[in-house]
């Protein structure tokens, strides 16, 4: 499981935890998050999220 | 065909360009900026010490990389001196650039309060990457910083500097941190947590003068006390940049007035971000910029699109006391209901019918952000 960090606001998406409150189940891979999803904290779009791979 | 011209290379300017390119890859695009034209995250300037980032490591892309990415001409270090809206052109000194549509993403200036003293001009403020580089150079190998202003930027810098080992004093005429965003219980927790980190607060008093004292500075407060510091940072608030729009005859109030399509009082001239005022709202945060950038990009691509804002809670980057605020609309009728324990304050602003209109969460209560945000009314429906 990996973590991805929003380059604008620092929000971290942790695949292991998912975002259950947004309907994204724990264990959801980054690739499987809808393309129209946006950072819940700053609104930056997934497609140009330029997320940083934090850990393999 | 004349290009679409964007003035400003902050998150507003560049995100309009990026969103536009998703819809229209062809229309010529020119980005003109007084800054260096790097794409960077301004919100990250106030926690760069904790994330061990030097100023030069903050930009994500150079002006050249951005030009390639968004297929645009990027003009760094170019200051637009006039807008001639009736002729669809702008001036950079003697140079004239004609545009088809113009986007003002000018940003805001840090408000500077007038100060007495022989070192008043040594007071720094941070509202750009260049400012931040100057600030980091000033604090290098120094030990103490006085911050004027206990608002969002002041508190974030206080947390970042204090966690990095600096002695930090914060001065504000209010009687708590984030006076406009937090009800008293939340303010008290944030104040206590930052104090525990080492921040010294000076509330209920302003700054009168900043004077030289050897190779340090002496800050004189309105209450007569003095505080010694190596560096003084002013963070008392933002003021939209209006001069260019005002000189061009565009309608301005607190910001450059735009309609729901982000169009100013001049045809084919649009504005968004920290410089713009939409239905009385000036919202200098990333989330509204992103919503505005998407709507404006669609409009520029030929599909007129009005902007709407959902509830947009704002994260305050004070790790010593995680804080998220969604202030009620100005003038909203209701009252704060507060639940608190040692490490958490949940403040809910509800109307007479019990409907949630705003909130402020501190500490572990921040875990409820998403659930509560869903109950909030949209900021702009």
């Amino acid at each position: 499981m990996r973590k991805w960090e929003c380059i604008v606001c620092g929000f971290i998406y942790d695949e292991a935890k998912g975002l259950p409150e947004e309907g994204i189940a724990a264990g959801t891979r980054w690739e499987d998050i809808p393309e129209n999803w946006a950072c819940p904290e700053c609104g930056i779009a997934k497609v140009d999220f330029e997320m940083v791979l934090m850990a393999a | 065909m004349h290009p679409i011209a964007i003035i400003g290379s902050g998150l507003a300017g560049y995100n309009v360009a990026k969103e536009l390119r998703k819809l229209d890859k062809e229309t010529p695009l020119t980005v003109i900026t007084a800054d260096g034209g790097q794409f960077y995250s301004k919100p990250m300037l106030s926690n760069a010490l904790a994330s061990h980032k030097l100023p030069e490591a903050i930009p994500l892309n150079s002006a050249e990389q951005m030009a390639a990415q968004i297929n645009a001409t990027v003009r760094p270090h170019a200051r637009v001196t006039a807008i001639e809206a009736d002729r669809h052109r702008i001036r950079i000194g003697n140079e004239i650039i004609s545009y088809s549509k113009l986007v003002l993403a000018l940003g805001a200036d840090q408000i500077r309060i007038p100060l007495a003293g022989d070192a008043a001009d040594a007071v720094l403020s941070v509202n750009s990457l260049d400012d931040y580089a100057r600030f980091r150079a000033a604090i290098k190998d120094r030990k103490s910083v006085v911050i004027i202003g206990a608002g969002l930027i002041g508190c974030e810098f206080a947390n970042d500097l204090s966690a990095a080992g600096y002695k930090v004093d914060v001065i504000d005429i209010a009687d708590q941190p984030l006076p406009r965003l937090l009800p008293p219980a939340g303010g008290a927790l944030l104040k206590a947590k930052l104090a525990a980190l080492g921040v010294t607060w000076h509330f209920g008093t302003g700054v009168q003068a900043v004077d030289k004292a050897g190779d340090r500075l002496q800050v004189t407060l309105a209450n007569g006390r003095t505080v010694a510091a190596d560096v003084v940072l002013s963070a008392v608030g933002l003021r939209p940049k209006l001069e260019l729009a005002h000189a061009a005859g565009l309608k301005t109030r607190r910001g450059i007035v735009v309609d729901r399509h982000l169009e100013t009082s001049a045809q084919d001239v649009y504005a968004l971000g920290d410089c713009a005022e939409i239905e009385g709202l000036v919202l200098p945060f990333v989330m509204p910029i992103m919503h505005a950038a998407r709507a404006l990009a669609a409009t520029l691509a030929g599909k007129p699109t009005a902007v709407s804002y959902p509830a947009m809670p704002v994260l305050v980057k004070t790790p010593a006391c995680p804080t998220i605020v969604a202030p009620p609309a100005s003038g909203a009728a209701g009252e704060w209901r507060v639940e608190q324990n040692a490490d958490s304050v949940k403040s809910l602003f509800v109307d007479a019918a019990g409907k949630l209109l705003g909130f402020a969460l501190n500490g572990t209560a921040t875990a409820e952000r998403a659930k509560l945000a869903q109950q909030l009314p949209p900021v702009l429906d």
Side-chain angles (χ1 to χ4, degrees):
Chain A
M1 290 281 105
R2 301 163 297 177
K3 292 180 182 177
W4 305 75
E5 184 180 18
C6 171
I7 51 114
V8 168
C9 74
F11 173 81
I12 289 172
Y13 175 74
D14 182 340
E15 291 184 340
K17 292 180 182 165
L19 284 170
E21 66 273 24
E22 293 200 5
I24 297 172
T28 302
R29 296 187 312 152
W30 179 243
E31 297 80 353
D32 296 333
I33 292 176
E35 290 305 311
N36 64 1
W37 180 84
C39 175
E41 282 181 6
C42 75
I44 285 279
K46 182 192 173 192
V47 283
D48 58 354
F49 220 64
E50 300 176 42
M51 280 197 138
V52 180
L53 184 61
M54 294 185 63
Chain B
M1 183 182 172
H2 294 312
I4 294 174
I6 299 174
I7 309 176
S9 61
L11 286 170
Y14 271 146
N15 275 304
V16 170
K18 287 179 166 193
E19 294 294 326
L20 177 66
R21 280 297 180 243
K22 292 178 188 171
L23 307 171
D24 171 353
K25 303 203 186 320
E26 302 302 327
T27 302
L29 185 60
T30 298
V31 177
I32 303 150
T33 175
D35 287 342
Q38 303 99 327
F39 181 70
Y40 70 100
S41 167
K42 192 183 289 180
M44 287 208 175
L45 297 182
S46 53
N47 64 347
L49 283 168
S51 51
H52 303 288
K53 281 208 170 98
L54 290 169
E56 54 270 30
I58 292 172
L60 301 154
N61 294 111
S62 66
E64 296 75 22
Q65 288 167 325
M66 287 309 296
Q69 187 188 121
I70 57 176
N71 183 27
T73 301
V74 177
R75 296 277 307 267
H77 306 298
R79 193 172 287 277
V80 173
T81 49
I83 299 166
E84 299 173 359
D86 52 341
R87 303 175 77 171
H88 277 64
R89 64 188 208 181
I90 54 179
R91 286 176 177 272
I92 304 171
N94 290 326
E95 181 185 354
I96 289 172
I97 295 177
S98 293
Y99 61 79
S100 56
K101 293 189 167 66
L102 177 66
V103 176
L104 306 179
L106 306 170
D109 290 315
Q110 282 281 351
I111 295 168
R112 298 296 292 260
I113 47 172
L115 296 171
D118 62 9
D121 58 0
V123 174
L124 299 175
S125 56
V126 172
N127 194 33
S128 71
L129 189 58
D130 290 346
D131 290 343
Y132 187 65
R134 275 190 286 278
F135 175 69
R136 285 289 291 266
I139 64 169
K140 190 173 192 299
D141 301 324
R142 307 305 291 263
K143 292 187 170 59
S144 58
V145 179
V146 161
I147 298 173
I148 307 172
L152 193 138
I153 304 296
C155 286
E156 292 186 350
F157 270 103
N159 198 144
D160 202 43
L161 288 161
S162 192
Y166 287 87
K167 178 185 178 298
V168 177
D169 288 77
V170 182
I171 301 153
D172 199 298
I173 50 172
D175 55 8
Q176 65 163 66
L178 301 183
R180 285 191 293 271
L181 297 174
L182 287 181
L189 185 68
L190 180 60
K191 178 181 170 184
K193 292 289 183 183
L194 284 173
L197 190 67
V199 173
T200 304
W201 300 104
H202 306 266
F203 284 119
T205 186
V207 175
Q208 278 191 334
V210 180
D211 288 284
K212 291 174 187 152
D215 71 338
R216 302 186 75 203
L217 300 171
Q218 176 173 284
V219 180
T220 304
L221 310 186
N223 65 11
R225 287 193 184 171
T226 60
V227 182
D230 295 320
V231 174
V232 179
L233 178 69
S234 175
V236 297
L238 293 171
R239 177 186 289 135
K241 289 189 185 177
L242 301 179
E243 297 81 0
L244 203 53
H246 192 255
L250 274 54
K251 188 175 176 189
T252 62
R253 276 195 294 256
R254 220 150 49 88
I256 301 169
V257 175
V258 296
D259 63 20
R260 288 291 287 269
H261 289 81
L262 302 159
E263 193 164 24
T264 68
S265 59
Q267 195 179 3
D268 293 328
V269 181
Y270 300 83
L272 83 165
D274 295 5
C275 70
E277 177 180 329
I278 307 172
E279 297 199 355
L281 298 172
V282 177
L283 299 170
F285 305 108
V286 180
M287 187 81 94
I289 286 175
M290 293 310 301
H291 286 279
R294 287 190 190 114
L296 181 52
T299 299
L300 295 174
K303 187 184 168 200
T305 301
V307 69
S308 55
Y309 291 145
M312 299 179 290
V314 175
L315 178 82
V316 184
K317 295 190 297 306
T318 46
C321 180
T323 296
I324 297 172
V325 294
S330 173
E335 59 172 13
W336 285 104
R337 292 184 190 163
V338 179
E339 289 173 35
Q340 65 185 110
N341 58 48
D343 287 310
S344 176
V345 180
K346 177 164 89 172
S347 308
L348 305 180
F349 191 88
V350 294
D351 68 11
K355 176 156 179 48
L356 186 68
L357 298 180
F359 62 71
L361 308 172
N362 304 91
T364 51
T366 53
E368 297 187 53
R369 173 191 64 87
K371 184 185 67 166
L372 291 169
Q374 287 168 5
Q375 301 171 30
L376 287 175
V379 171
L380 211 53
D381 207 349

